[in-house]
Amino acid sequence: MKLSASGLGQQAAHEGENKCLNSELWHACAGPLVCLPTVGSRVVYFPQGHSEQVAATTNKEVDAHIPNYPNLPPQLICQLHNVTMHADVETDEVYAQMTLQPLTPEEQKDTFLPMELGIPSKQPTNYFCKTLTASDTSTHGGFSVPRRAAEKVFPPLDFSQQPPVQELIARDLHDVEWKFRHIFRGQPKRHLLTTGWSVFVSAKRLVAGDSVLFIWNENNQLLLGIRRATRPQTVLPSSVLSSDSMHIGLLAAAAHAAATNSCFTVFYNPRWASPSEFVIPLSKYIKAVFHTRVSVGMRFRMLFETEESSVRRYMGTITSISDLDPARWPNSHWRSVKVGWDESTAGERQPRVSLWEIEPLTTFPMYPSLFPLGLKRPWHPGSSSLHGIVPY
Amino acid sequence: MKLSASGLGQQAAHEGENKCLNSELWHACAGPLVCLPTVGSRVVYFPQGHSEQVAATTNKEVDAHIPNYPNLPPQLICQLHNVTMHADVETDEVYAQMTLQPLTPEEQKDTFLPMELGIPSKQPTNYFCKTLTASDTSTHGGFSVPRRAAEKVFPPLDFSQQPPVQELIARDLHDVEWKFRHIFRGQPKRHLLTTGWSVFVSAKRLVAGDSVLFIWNENNQLLLGIRRATRPQTVLPSSVLSSDSMHIGLLAAAAHAAATNSCFTVFYNPRWASPSEFVIPLSKYIKAVFHTRVSVGMRFRMLFETEESSVRRYMGTITSISDLDPARWPNSHWRSVKVGWDESTAGERQPRVSLWEIEPLTTFPMYPSLFPLGLKRPWHPGSSSLHGIVPY
DNA sequence: GTGTGGGCCGAGCGCCGACAA
DNA sequence: TTGTCGGCGCTCGGCCCACAC
């Protein structure tokens, strides 16, 4: 077992896994809304959210079998000691590993609260993402590159040759090199990737509906990522793992860490969690919970990621504010806001969101602010010490 | 969440996973030494053993991060409510799921102890297993069937045709049908599988070193299984799973079940655990621990599985008897026997075994029996009630 | 008895422009 | 602008034997 230099006992990354160095590529594959908190900053951890994620992986409801952890609050304020970005060797699935240390009430009180809002995720500008068509993934042909994308992202072709051809080299998350023949031909003229494309498709087991990303990083390297379509049920290949055990394990680890002031490790898969995360920057939490007035009937905006990995704003109205699970996680702010969505695609949007996910339209409220939440539901998890710091 | 008819709250099998019906095939793929206990019988569960298995999957040592479960004894006597055999949809990896209910001291005392030793695993007799060669898995050719195996297992060919040909149909663990052309040709004559073989190899992603099994079951069906070679490090594809969490979860689930007299679920992968299991029949445990005299210097035999899935006997000498982990699991009999192996391949054999794995050669001890273990280390985990039942 | 390689035939991979949406 | 198709050349998948250990 490796320990880091800080000596805090945080868990080393699993041996044998590739460390992801291409931060841009990781963020691009994770999605435009991903924003990891800064190492050394403070975050809020929601056991409830993490449990939801575990349950989601096995498509099973959280059952009542699990023991109670009465000393485990619905949210833990933690010091973030480490963030490591990973990509699964088999599937290229990206995820982050965080080492968290719950703070004692003492520590929570002692320190000032710098308003760090996390690393602004390095959203690459010079990149494109395309969802693969049946023709793209068939063995019959190559990859049809959208014209604007090719002109913006790919190196310019030498149009003196006919047809113009060049070799593209791109690296994936595991630093594996992929070579493609990029040609501009056909009638009408178009950009195509031919030789090298099919081996990439079969190696990554891509199917129609999955997406590929081409990105330039700061070091002038062309990066290549994939994003798989959300399939109905990705069967967990981990045969020995019981989701109950994982669920219990997460709760037990968090509770133990909180009780002994030690570290615990959580894994964060942005493709699953987004947009409802379970580790968020403390400053974001405080701003949303204590400095923002929210009430039933209020209008709000919220960012969502589309299939094409762009960002869209959706509008909605707050219909009620209450605990998601009053029995097991009383006074948790996680997904405490019930909302109604404006558009007809409302069925696809989740009916519950968290305060820090939405952007209230306070300037034009549809109804008068009857019950400002920030005043009615003060800080509670045994650490009223924060009251002195956060004025409201 | 589905509950079984017994109402005991045992966990249903994961939805969406194929239930394995071919018991023979399951056992064949699991290995010749596999023997699952009978439903309704009593077993002993070793949390320590299970933790070892979890650690093995990530090739990481069990660290000291985990909370203590002072109420969790080193072994739990449990009622076995359910055993389900599974095969991973992706990899065909076989594993069993067991629902266990820890018994109260009352229950342990009240009931008689029938000497069930588990289902004698249905070891198929009419079968063969071959480790694949480079030629077998190459795209250039088919599968070369060992002559004796073909003559014993495959249906007899019609030698009136030249060359003799027939179609073989076999079913795998997921009840998927595979068709092969079986031909007897070449100079010298040999049995080959040609058409259909390569699709099987690529579908199962078989490589040289993996094994295939052909088995006849009771219903006169030809079954087809695979057993992958032990590769250096099978990276766990489960990205969100922390082995710490799993480890803690298993301990917490077991401790909680023991405290509340409820059920918990364990997964058992015979290819990993063999031959040191963590769920064994109670009768086997009692026989080994209380009715067998073992001492330092004593000679013993032990069964091992060879690469070719046959069984071999190895001889050795007991060098010491002590707890594997006196601090965390005091008085556990799990791998309490340190041994030295006779052969030069000793480095490959584990240096510690459990009492129920070995077969002491009491008739010809090399050294006199100085410290019979059964007498020196009586039953302990708070249930001395068993003393009255097990005479010694 | 069985693993590997050469020969050799043909299915299908993969490159091309022609359409049409 | 780009998804799909018919065309067609050529690679390699796959069936055969010879040979060697």
Side-chain angles (χ1 to χ4, degrees), chain B residues 135-365:
Chain B
S135 300
D136 289 331
T137 53
S138 113
T139 58
H140 189 60
F143 173 66
S144 183
V145 190
R147 177 165 185 177
R148 297 200 174 188
E151 289 172 351
K152 191 179 79 170
V153 177
F154 287 170
L157 289 161
D158 175 12
F159 285 93
S160 65
Q161 1 173 1
Q162 276 311 321
V165 186
Q166 69 180 343
E167 187 183 46
L168 277 185
I169 299 181
R171 288 178 178 279
D172 69 10
L173 277 165
H174 313 292
D175 233 28
V176 174
E177 211 175 75
W178 300 91
K179 293 181 185 176
F180 305 103
R181 192 169 96 116
H182 170 207
I183 193 170
F184 186 70
R185 61 163 171 80
Q187 199 45 250
K189 295 279 182 243
R190 69 188 58 191
H191 292 268
L192 295 164
L193 296 189
T194 58
T195 310
W197 173 253
S198 69
V199 287
F200 177 72
V201 168
S202 58
K204 298 292 186 187
R205 288 172 207 150
L206 295 175
V207 296
D210 295 342
S211 304
V212 289
L213 304 91
F214 283 89
I215 308 146
W216 285 104
N217 75 347
E218 300 165 333
N219 302 328
N220 224 28
Q221 283 181 315
L222 187 58
L223 307 179
L224 173 56
I226 62 173
R227 207 183 291 177
R228 297 182 194 278
T230 52
R231 295 178 197 158
Q233 165 77 341
T234 313
V235 178
L236 260 199
S238 44
S239 39
V240 276
L241 313 179
S242 154
S243 66
D244 273 353
S245 291
M246 280 173 49
H247 186 186
I248 294 169
L250 287 169
L251 298 183
H256 179 252
T260 62
N261 199 30
S262 60
C263 287
F264 68 106
T265 302
V266 298
F267 287 89
Y268 170 68
N269 184 322
R271 301 285 301 164
W272 294 350
S274 179
S276 273
E277 304 157 24
F278 51 85
V279 176
I280 64 160
L282 175 60
S283 50
K284 189 176 175 183
Y285 175 83
I286 288 177
K287 188 182 169 198
V289 173
F290 296 104
H291 296 181
T292 308
R293 294 185 163 221
V294 175
S295 59
V296 172
M298 190 178 273
R299 305 272 303 149
F300 68 92
R301 287 187 304 195
M302 183 166 161
L303 299 181
F304 275 93
E305 198 179 324
T306 65
E307 289 275 339
E308 296 77 26
S309 80
S310 61
V311 176
R312 237 202 94 172
R313 272 191 175 73
Y314 282 86
M315 309 269 294
T317 308
I318 296 176
T319 58
S320 86
I321 300 173
S322 64
D323 284 340
L324 172 58
D325 186 344
R328 294 164 39 77
W329 304 106
N331 299 319
S332 167
H333 290 285
W334 196 80
R335 290 202 185 166
S336 62
V337 184
K338 245 189 186 160
V339 299
W341 299 100
D342 285 4
E343 313 200 16
S344 57
T345 58
E348 305 163 14
R349 311 263 153 256
Q350 51 198 320
R352 278 182 167 275
V353 297
S354 301
L355 282 172
W356 46 88
E357 296 175 313
I358 60 177
E359 186 186 348
L361 301 178
T362 42
T363 43
F364 304 108

Side-chain angles (χ1 to χ4, degrees), chain A residues 355-378:
Chain A
L355 282 172
W356 45 90
E357 297 175 312
I358 60 176
E359 187 185 350
L361 302 177
T362 42
T363 43
F364 304 109
M366 263 180 81
Y367 305 101
S369 242
L370 293 179
F371 306 105
L373 183 67
L375 290 173
K376 288 204 70 183
R377 305 186 55 177

Side-chain angles (χ1 to χ4, degrees), chain A residues 302-313:
Chain A
M302 182 167 162
L303 298 181
F304 275 93
E305 198 180 323
T306 66
E307 289 276 337
E308 296 76 28
S309 78
S310 61
V311 175
R312 236 202 95 170
R313 272 194 176 71

Side-chain angles (χ1 to χ4, degrees), chain B residues 90-146:
Chain B
E90 289 282 321
T91 64
D92 274 26
E93 189 176 57
V94 293
Y95 60 97
Q97 182 180 10
M98 306 187 194
T99 308
L100 303 176
Q101 186 178 25
L103 297 185
T104 61
E106 278 300 307
E107 290 173 320
Q108 292 177 19
K109 191 169 55 187
D110 283 352
T111 334
F112 67 102
L113 285 171
M115 265 298 176
E116 358 83 346
L117 279 165
I119 304 169
S121 66
K122 287 187 200 163
Q123 293 307 335
T125 52
N126 197 18
Y127 83 105
F128 80 88
C129 174
K130 185 197 176 188
T131 301
L132 299 178
T133 67
S135 300
D136 289 331
T137 53
S138 113
T139 58
H140 189 60
F143 173 66
S144 183
V145 190

Side-chain angles (χ1 to χ4, degrees), chain A residues 130 133 135 140 146-147 188 190:
Chain A
K130 185 198 175 189
T133 66
S135 300
H140 190 60
R147 177 165 185 176
R190 70 189 52 189

Side-chain angles (χ1 to χ4, degrees), chain B residues 49-66:
Chain B
H50 211 148
S51 303
E52 282 250 335
Q53 192 187 41
V54 169
T57 65
T58 53
N59 200 20
K60 202 180 78 176
E61 283 177 28
V62 176
D63 62 345
H65 262 185
I66 52 171

